[in-house]
Amino acid sequence: MSREPTGLSRPAPPSVEVTTDDTAQLLGRWRGGDRSAFDRILRDALPWLTAHVDRRLGERLRSHEELEDFVQDALVDFLTYGPGFEVRSRALLYALLKRIVENVLRDKNDYYRAKRRTRSVERPLPSDSVLQLDPPRADVQSPSGALRKSEDEARVRMALELMDPEERQILVMREWDQLTFAKIGAEIGVSEPAARMRSHRAMMRLSEIVHRMEEKGLAAVLDADPPR
């Protein structure tokens, strides 16, 4: 997508609460490789999300890069390398993208973005692993079962996107990188027992998010877990 300067002085986009009939269609076209649908999603979402970041977190960004570039880079990275998903309304799509952008900003070491790209290349998800995020699916599995089965990896990856970046970093170190608790502790500056405890709590947290997403849908996860 070519970048065009938009600036924060542009007229605000329609309210995020307005449901658009073409949201699911655009996402489907994007998953099918339609670049124009991908560009349309970015073009529609970028002004609203940039304004949101400016209101909430702008002062933390202006010191190192332009707000709009930051937001666009975060969105392109997630939409390119994150799990495939489907939602039916712009309100829910924007709420998801807002959480992603906020978590990218809160990830002080930008740890997960690089790991996400590597994981996507080394262990790509099947093309049919598209998460139906609203409404929730009917055949709810236990979180532990979902974590064990490869066909549910897309749901686990989406849950990781919604986690606190510090908890997520520990899980990625442990589950993806296969680091020992001693090495994890050295990385984050805690003892080995503390790293073990934090890993356990993070895994429980991930399981909770997976279960809530399956049982109640994405909106319930976003409402219940505002960024800290």
Side-chain angles (χ1 to χ4, degrees):
M1 177 181 177
S2 60
R3 287 184 178 166
E4 300 177 359
T6 55
L8 297 178
S9 61
R10 287 181 56 177
S15 168
V16 70
E17 297 303 327
V18 177
T19 298
T20 55
D21 294 336
D22 64 348
T23 298
Q25 181 186 31
L26 281 171
L27 291 170
R29 286 169 48 199
W30 152 62
R31 291 193 306 274
D34 186 339
R35 181 69 186 189
S36 66
F38 185 87
D39 289 348
R40 166 74 183 282
I41 293 168
L42 288 179
R43 186 175 66 247
D44 289 353
L46 190 58
W48 187 88
L49 289 168
T50 300
H52 167 78
V53 172
D54 182 57
R55 287 193 302 271
R56 287 181 52 117
L57 308 163
E59 292 301 325
R60 295 172 58 187
L61 280 174
R62 293 192 185 102
S63 62
H64 62 274
E65 63 183 306
E66 293 296 323
L67 281 168
E68 189 169 275
D69 285 350
F70 174 88
V71 174
Q72 178 163 314
D73 286 347
L75 294 184
V76 169
D77 194 75
F78 169 67
L79 292 174
T80 302
Y81 297 106
F85 66 93
E86 181 176 297
V87 294
R88 296 177 297 175
S89 74
R90 181 164 53 169
L92 190 53
L93 174 62
Y94 281 18
L96 172 61
L97 297 180
K98 176 168 67 76
R99 175 66 65 83
I100 300 303
V101 171
E102 289 182 347
N103 276 353
V104 169
L105 182 60
R106 293 172 56 241
D107 190 347
K108 299 179 181 64
N109 299 316
D110 203 19
Y111 185 82
Y112 184 63
R113 292 180 74 184
K115 291 294 182 180
R116 179 207 284 148
R117 291 190 292 271
T118 301
R119 188 72 163 184
S120 178
V121 172
E122 293 181 348
R123 188 171 173 175
L125 293 167
S127 59
D128 59 352
S129 59
V130 177
L131 299 178
Q132 306 293 328
L133 298 178
D134 68 318
R137 71 184 193 184
D139 56 329
V140 176
Q141 298 181 8
S142 68
S144 59
L147 293 175
R148 287 194 303 267
K149 295 181 180 179
S150 60
E151 63 266 26
D152 286 323
E153 184 169 350
R155 194 171 299 275
V156 173
R157 290 194 196 184
M158 180 62 76
L160 281 168
E161 298 283 351
L162 305 177
M163 291 186 72
D164 179 88
E166 293 182 359
E167 290 183 327
R168 180 176 63 202
Q169 179 178 351
I170 293 172
L171 286 180
V172 171
M173 287 180 178
R174 181 63 179 168
E175 302 299 325
W176 290 9
D177 297 341
Q178 299 292 302
L179 297 185
T180 65
F181 292 118
K183 289 184 177 179
I184 292 173
E187 287 285 339
I188 64 177
V190 302
S191 66
E192 180 178 350
R196 186 186 301 273
M197 180 61 69
R198 290 189 187 189
S199 178
H200 175 72
R201 287 200 300 261
M203 183 61 74
M204 293 296 294
R205 178 70 174 147
L206 178 64
S207 297
E208 290 172 3
I209 295 174
V210 170
H211 182 69
R212 189 181 301 138
M213 196 185 309
E214 289 179 325
E215 188 177 53
K216 298 183 178 180
L218 178 64
V221 175
L222 295 174
D223 288 344
D225 298 289
R228 286 175 278 181

